[in-house]
Amino acid sequence: METTVAHLKRGQKGIIKEFTENLLPIKLLELGCLPGNVVELVQVAPLKDPIYINVNGSHIAIRREMALHIALDIIEDNVAI
């Protein structure tokens, strides 16, 4: 199973790898949802839709259905003790 923005937990970050379909709205691309950029899950609405993400300092609300089409490589937080 591939990890997507919809599978992130609150505060978790990932690097956008690719889009599973070419259905991403131009507005999301203009706001920085591009391969190679870091995305962080900020908050999930009470009914699990929409979800709020942070991309390049922009907080964006997207539908869970759209988030399922944005594939990620998870950034692991390695905390030194």
Side-chain angles (χ1 to χ4, degrees):
M1 184 176 106
E2 189 168 55
T3 302
T4 66
V5 172
H7 296 107
L8 290 175
K9 294 177 176 66
R10 188 173 182 182
Q12 195 173 25
K13 296 180 183 179
I15 298 174
I16 299 174
K17 186 167 55 170
E18 64 183 358
F19 308 119
T20 58
E21 294 188 23
N22 293 327
L23 300 175
L24 214 58
I26 297 295
K27 191 64 177 174
L28 282 181
L29 298 173
E30 290 173 348
L31 289 170
C33 271
L34 299 167
N37 285 348
V38 175
V39 61
E40 176 185 5
L41 181 65
V42 177
Q43 187 174 357
V44 179
L47 296 177
K48 308 254 189 241
D49 200 13
I51 63 173
Y52 302 95
I53 58 173
N54 180 358
V55 181
N56 292 338
S58 296
H59 285 248
I60 306 168
I62 61 173
R63 293 180 187 254
R64 182 167 292 280
E65 180 181 334
M66 186 61 57
L68 287 168
H69 297 295
I70 305 173
L72 297 176
D73 286 325
I74 299 295
I75 297 174
E76 299 296 333
D77 289 332
N78 294 329
V79 179
I81 298 176

